[in-house]
Amino acid sequence: MNMDDLKRQAAARALEHVRDGMKLGLGTGSTARHFVDLLGEKVRAGLKVVGVPTSEATRIQAGQCGIPLTTLDDVDRLDLTVDGADEIDAALNLIKGGGGALLREKVVATASDRMIVIADDTKWVDVLGRFPLPVEVIPFGLAATKRAMAGVFAQTGNSGHMVLRKGKDGHVFVTDGGHCIVDAHLGQITDAPRLAGLLTAIPGVVEHGLFIGIANLAVLAGAQGIRVIERR
């Protein structure tokens, strides 16, 4: 069974939590794509739901799948968000943003009553940080923002180098919100909750990819089958 099959298995298990009439946050990325595809099949078979996409790519995909869409301006709360992750630890803290949609992903997830994370089991880690931490920043004053970030990393006992993300075309990657992403290669993140708070306080930082205390359930698919972990 290849990695794509495992991701689809995780997405299928998460779909079991969807009920008729739900308002759903629709994630972004390779695993979330499977969830949107499978959800579209259910919608075409008569399931009544409405979705809020976390990126323009997901909006286009959901539209092609026939999933009715809305916005957070038109609904008070979402029942459930289903999204992927780049890393997941035992407390269900996450690193997200490898696909560049972390800002909208966090807005949607925190506007939801529950968040289910779907992934293959290679994303499960003892300590966050092996995957570079994405930090979404405004272009203005980028050097000053990076110096402030370096100060925060030192203050929390973290070290590593920062890289301004580039797209496949070699140009600076620009998010759906018109911002840049700095990827911090930290190796291991010491005290992720404290680091999250300090990064948020930096002027110039729009959002970061540490999702602390947001996910309620993780569905991990591996060669041994599906593993479901609930946050305590």
Side-chain angles (χ1 to χ4, degrees), residues 1 3 5-14 17 31 83-94 116-126 215 217-230:
M1 187 175 297
M3 196 67 73
D5 292 331
L6 294 176
K7 292 176 179 180
R8 197 168 186 87
Q9 278 192 6
R13 178 64 69 89
H17 293 262
T31 312
D83 206 346
D86 299 302
E87 283 191 343
I88 310 166
D89 73 8
L92 298 196
N93 294 323
L94 319 171
I116 297 177
V117 183
I118 52 177
D120 64 84
D121 62 7
T122 64
K123 305 299 173 59
W124 184 261
V125 298
D126 292 326
L217 199 73
V219 180
L220 303 175
Q224 306 305 313
I226 297 288
R227 186 158 59 111
V228 179
I229 303 99
E230 189 163 3

Side-chain angles (χ1 to χ4, degrees), residues 21-82:
M22 275 188 166
K23 300 184 288 290
L24 302 172
L26 306 178
T28 296
S30 57
T31 312
R33 281 189 64 83
H34 286 297
F35 177 79
V36 173
D37 278 342
L38 293 171
L39 179 65
E41 293 177 7
K42 292 284 189 180
V43 167
R44 292 192 294 276
L47 180 70
K48 298 292 190 291
V49 295
V50 64
V52 173
T54 55
S55 66
E56 291 304 303
T58 299
R59 181 186 61 77
I60 292 169
Q61 182 198 3
Q64 292 170 342
C65 290
I67 300 170
L69 298 178
T70 186
T71 71
L72 291 177
D73 294 324
D74 295 322
V75 294
D76 291 334
R77 291 287 295 173
L78 301 177
D79 298 294
L80 175 67
T81 285
V82 178

Side-chain angles (χ1 to χ4, degrees), residues 96-111:
K96 288 179 55 55
L102 62 104
L103 174 59
R104 294 188 185 184
E105 287 172 341
K106 191 174 285 188
V107 170
V108 170
T110 56

Side-chain angles (χ1 to χ4, degrees), residues 56 82 133 182 211:
E56 291 304 303
V82 178
L133 173 63
V182 173
F211 283 52

